Amino acid sequence: MPSSRCLLRLPHPPSSLLAAPIAPHTSTSLRHAAPFSASASQCMPAPAKKKGVTFGGPPARGTKALRIKKTVRQSTARPPAPGERRALRKRIVLSNTNALEVAGLRDATLDSLVDEAMVGKVVGLPGQVVDSLRVVEAFKVHQGWGLFRRPACLVRKETVEIGRVVAEAEEQKTTRRVVLCGERNSGKSVLLLQGLAGAFMRGWVVLNFPEAKDLTIGHTAYSPIPNTTPTQYAQRTYTANLLSQISKANASVLSALQITQSHDLPMPLQRNLTLDRLCELGARDPDIAWPIFQALWKELTAPGRPPVFMALDGLAHVMRLSAYLAPDTKPIHAHDLALVNHFVEYLSGQKQLGNGGVVMAAVSESNQPRTPALEHAPRRKQPESFLEHQLRQLKHWNPYVKGDERVIKALDGVEVLRLKGLSREEARGVMEYYAASGMLRNTVTEGFVSEKWSLAGQGIVGELERAAVRLRV
Amino acid sequence: MPPRIDFFAASRPLTYRPKALNCPRRAQQVFKTLPASCRGFANSHDLPIAEGAEGPNTDTLPHVSEEAAAINEITGKGGPEIEQGTPVQEVVKGDKEAEKNLPKVMQQDMKASKPSGVRSYHTSARRLQDATLITQPSQALSQPGVKFGLPDLPMPRSANLHHRYDPAVEQVTNLMMRHGKLSVAQRNMSLILTHLRTASPPTINPLRPLLPGAPPPSHLPLNPILYLTLAIDSVAPLMRIRSQRGAAGGGVALQIPVPLGLRQRRRTAVQWILDAATKRRNRGSGKGMFAQRVAEELVSVVEGKSSVWEKRGGVHKMGVGARANLKFGQRR
């Protein structure tokens, strides 16, 4: 029986197997019998080529060979173009044509954002404001704009507070500095958006940093600015993009303003150049973007110009060391980046906006980096954000905690607005809007509202949306 | 022993009647006239008309006994009871000739069953009426002293903790789950339903009829759970093919069609849909891509473009071909 014979006779072991255990004990003469030895005497002879069988080619005439076809699946579909998949992921949809038009939905006006009687009602955002907000990237992907017929938002108690801050800053020509804190999904970014919307409606100049993370994670080009101590770093591509956003979003305001100051720029400027054209010049050429941004700022802070609204989302990212490296391979502090420094100077109150204005920043609770300054922080009873902790420390400084002095100075004396859940009346208002849009199929009763309100952590608005509209089990 | 009269024996090998698909609970809501507070957003007069609501197989003839009942209702005679089988005693009642041929047990029973006491009626048949009376005392109890009021009876299915979600949604979620990650599956389910509600309404292919009584396509995005249920139930097979080894002789397996229950049918359909979805190509990148592919597959099922319909057709064709094998294993 051939098969049993095969089992009885072991095959001859290869030489390398035998050589391996022997090598450590034997003399140096055998050491060179390593597998990679080039000496012909110790090596096994190469196996003789079998006649008749050639690998890769067709079998010779008269011989049979097993042919296995390689199954290489050729996909006929066009592969996605570079950036196409990302664009799909980052796409912002502001309308759902399946949703029902809400009868009696009114557009937001200057008064409705300041009026306390409007609290708990949903107002639509006017078309022009929506365009501007879209340009400054105030809408985020994860927010629920794509579920409803048109962008609309709830007027909540804090909206009115922010509206008043903006109105007062305009009247008294002062600079208001506000930081928005609060639990995750409690509506900080949307409140920032409402502030931006109010500023657009008032004819302010709006400057928005939609994601502070983009400034500091080292994804855009940077270069030192000569003659600055400590050395500052300009991010030219980012600045060019920012200038293009400013010119598009504020076109109606900036196109009516002309240059009045003198600037030393690398190229001559037309005499009656409007400010939106100035921005476009910078947007077109990243090399001169930073000087042009400075020139624009000089124009905007000159007397007789409109107030300015500066906003930044994800504040914690600019309150730490950035991912950029200085020439001495030490990390650059985020405040040494020129754009961040520009924002922080106004947030800290070091500089004032001459024509009045608001500097507003929102904290992100879902994307917040760890701060080394807080590693030894004592256990906290209430969950409070990093910023609140910093702010509390200003009053009762713990000498054993290593704090970032620049950060502490930057946040000295800012107004903190802590967002909590919606009240039941506000929750009812927003749920009635959901139902009127056809996105919520239940009857909005007192019991139903309080059930969802409780499930949403006492009215955390993002959770309310998840429970009521997103059908998230 | 006299032969037993079996009226249904003749029909047993011929037809097999699977359990009727329950129209989903939410599907019925579409047709009911809802109170205005429920849907303060659309008027009944501008509801779109269903296109192709009647498919080729929707108006088949009713069952023989149903037809007889309908005719007798028109003519005014008491026809056969459709809800339950008619007892033989009632069928032959009054017919002296037939009564003589009844089994002895039945004859004795008929004699004995005449009420001999004061009451001229049976008490045994009153169980159903008693059941309906149960709600009466609960009304009386909803007087002061009940702190939170009494619940409406019968309690809805969702009142139970374990049945609070829609059964179809729950089943699909569980079938999507991999490695025990229920939360991921739930997120995917949420994304699927969001996609169904934001995608444009499907265009129905008349060659691939959906369940009879389906709402018009323009209503589907506003009710994504119904959309999902409709897609799954429409493409769900009525049967599976069981291969009985060695029954056909010569080592050949005998193909025997076996009717499936509602959950079994849905399970098969969902697995086909998930298989088809995994073979689709990703268009974007990120976490929600699988959910998007499943959602696109569901839409293509409703539009009649999906390859799942061919799978269903194949199973049904094989079932029809093998219907003679239904007799296998029965006593002759």
Side-chain angles (χ1 to χ4, degrees), chain A residues 75 77-80 84-86 88-89 91 96-101 146-147 435-444 468-473, chain B residues 26 29-30 34 37-38 41-42 165 169 183 186-187 190 193-194 196-201 221-225 281-286 289 292:
Chain A
S75 74
R78 180 183 60 87
E84 189 183 324
R85 284 151 43 96
R86 183 175 192 271
L88 202 69
R89 198 173 69 233
R91 190 180 47 166
N96 177 12
T97 45
N98 295 324
L100 302 169
E101 194 108 41
L147 287 169
S437 298
M439 290 292 111
L440 176 67
R441 295 184 62 82
N442 298 68
T443 319
V444 181
V469 183
R470 297 220 181 232
L471 300 172
R472 180 69 163 88
V473 167
Chain B
R26 279 149 206 269
Q29 288 178 2
V30 173
L34 297 173
S37 58
C38 270
F41 42 80
Y165 306 123
V169 171
S183 168
Q186 283 167 337
R187 187 184 62 214
S190 162
L193 294 176
T194 308
L196 292 181
R197 101 184 329 171
T198 48
S200 55
L222 282 180
N223 194 348
I225 295 179
R281 195 186 169 85
N282 265 351
R283 289 197 300 115
S285 55
M289 282 304 110
Q292 194 184 7

Side-chain angles (χ1 to χ4, degrees), chain A residues 212-213 216-217 314-324 331-337 340 344 367-373 386 390 404 406-407:
Chain A
K213 190 180 165 189
T216 55
I217 53 171
L315 183 62
H317 280 280
V318 296
M319 293 294 163
R320 64 200 288 258
L321 296 178
S322 73
Y324 292 105
I332 298 171
H333 196 281
H335 291 190
D336 286 337
L337 300 170
V340 176
V344 167
N367 179 13
Q368 184 162 279
R370 251 175 110 187
T371 319
F386 137 77
Q390 291 275 21
D404 189 344
R406 299 177 76 173
V407 171

Side-chain angles (χ1 to χ4, degrees), chain B:
Chain B
M1 200 170 167
R4 261 179 89 173
I5 302 172
D6 195 351
F7 287 94
F8 302 110
S11 64
R12 201 172 285 146
L14 292 177
T15 58
Y16 92 86
R17 303 208 287 166
K19 195 171 151 193
L21 258 190
N22 290 334
C23 202
R25 186 156 37 88
R26 279 149 206 269
Q28 293 168 356
Q29 288 178 2
V30 173
F31 308 108
K32 275 184 196 165
T33 48
L34 297 173
S37 58
C38 270
R39 52 138 187 86
F41 42 80
N43 291 323
S44 57
H45 56 75
D46 53 30
L47 288 182
I49 298 156
E51 289 166 7
E54 277 198 5
N57 299 325
T58 47
D59 54 350
T60 47
L61 283 175
H63 192 258
V64 181
S65 56
E66 287 171 352
E67 202 176 348
I71 289 172
N72 283 323
E73 202 184 15
I74 295 164
T75 52
K77 295 171 195 168
E81 180 72 54
I82 313 171
E83 299 302 320
Q84 297 168 353
T86 317
V88 179
Q89 294 95 319
E90 281 184 29
V91 174
V92 297
K93 201 176 181 183
D95 190 353
K96 297 282 178 193
E97 286 289 307
E99 271 181 20
K100 270 180 203 167
N101 293 330
L102 275 182
K104 253 184 192 167
V105 193
M106 287 190 183
Q107 286 178 355
Q108 285 170 0
D109 199 36
M110 285 177 79
K111 279 178 194 166
S113 66
K114 281 179 185 162
S116 55
V118 188
R119 288 180 311 205
S120 59
Y121 52 85
H122 288 282
T123 49
S124 57
R126 298 180 61 80
R127 266 173 297 163
L128 212 142
Q129 285 180 19
D130 291 343
T132 55
L133 287 177
I134 289 172
T135 50
Q136 293 280 341
S138 75
Q139 294 296 326
L141 274 177
S142 63
Q143 299 298 320
V146 183
K147 193 173 178 186
F148 295 109
L150 287 171
D152 295 330
L153 291 175
M155 297 278 275
R157 185 179 189 269
S158 57
N160 188 321
L161 167 74
H162 301 293
H163 306 296
R164 58 190 143 165
Y165 306 123
D166 188 278
V169 171
E170 201 171 8
Q171 192 181 8
V172 178
T173 310
N174 287 343
L175 285 170
M176 274 199 304
M177 176 163 62
R178 290 286 172 269
H179 312 300
K181 295 185 177 177
L182 181 60
S183 168
V184 173
Q186 283 167 337
R187 187 184 62 214
N188 282 339
M189 193 69 230
S190 162
L191 291 173
I192 288 170
L193 294 176
T194 308
H195 184 276
L196 292 181
R197 101 184 329 171
T198 48
S200 55
T203 36
I204 308 287
N205 181 1
L207 296 176
R208 301 278 193 208
L210 300 176
L211 280 190
S218 58
H219 281 202
L220 292 175
L222 282 180
N223 194 348
I225 295 179
L226 172 64
Y227 198 161
L228 174 83
T229 318
L230 181 69
I232 291 168
D233 283 350
S234 299
V235 86
L238 292 166
M239 70 200 91
R240 71 183 173 89
I241 305 297
R242 182 165 68 91
S243 292
Q244 181 73 36
R245 282 184 65 194
V252 182
L254 186 67
Q255 311 281 333
I256 303 168
V258 182
L260 295 177
L262 177 64
R263 271 181 71 85
Q264 293 172 315
R265 298 180 53 198
R266 280 184 177 158
R267 180 176 181 276
T268 318
V270 170
Q271 288 198 325
W272 286 347
I273 289 171
L274 291 180
D275 282 349
T278 47
K279 283 176 197 153
R280 275 178 173 260
R281 195 186 169 85
N282 265 351
R283 289 197 300 115
S285 55
K287 275 185 199 167
M289 282 304 110
F290 179 67
Q292 194 184 7
R293 283 182 288 160
V294 174
E296 281 167 2
E297 189 64 34
L298 284 168
V299 174
S300 72
V301 162
V302 171
E303 291 187 337
K305 291 177 191 163
S306 174
S307 62
V308 175
W309 284 101
E310 269 110 61
K311 278 193 184 172
R312 176 188 199 255
V315 169
H316 280 197
K317 202 170 181 182
M318 201 183 268
V320 170
R323 69 187 185 276
N325 302 341
L326 272 171
K327 279 191 291 187
F328 177 77
Q330 277 181 6
R331 279 185 219 151
R332 303 182 188 172

Side-chain angles (χ1 to χ4, degrees), chain A residues 98-213:
Chain A
N98 295 324
L100 302 169
E101 194 108 41
V102 179
L105 179 69
R106 282 185 292 173
D107 269 3
T109 56
L110 282 182
D111 298 334
S112 64
L113 292 180
V114 193
D115 188 6
E116 252 179 19
M118 289 297 287
V119 169
K121 286 180 184 157
V122 176
V123 290
L125 295 172
Q128 271 203 325
V129 174
V130 170
D131 292 344
S132 298
L133 289 172
R134 197 193 249 280
V135 169
V136 298
E137 296 176 31
F139 298 108
K140 301 284 169 71
V141 180
H142 61 271
Q143 294 164 350
W145 306 105
L147 287 169
F148 303 99
R149 193 58 175 250
R150 50 171 292 207
C153 50
L154 173 77
V155 179
R156 53 194 287 184
K157 199 176 85 235
E158 290 84 359
T159 312
V160 175
E161 281 178 38
I162 292 294
R164 286 196 181 144
V165 164
V166 174
E168 281 171 18
E170 191 174 47
E171 276 173 26
Q172 301 162 6
K173 295 211 168 187
T174 51
T175 310
R176 299 291 293 266
R177 306 175 285 140
V178 186
V179 170
L180 306 177
C181 297
E183 279 179 53
R184 189 163 172 259
N185 277 341
S186 57
K188 300 175 291 292
S189 294
V190 174
L191 190 62
L192 196 66
L193 178 140
Q194 287 175 338
L196 290 172
F200 276 121
M201 284 193 280
R202 284 175 185 277
W204 289 22
V205 176
V206 171
L207 176 67
N208 185 31
F209 297 97
E211 199 58 70
K213 190 180 165 189

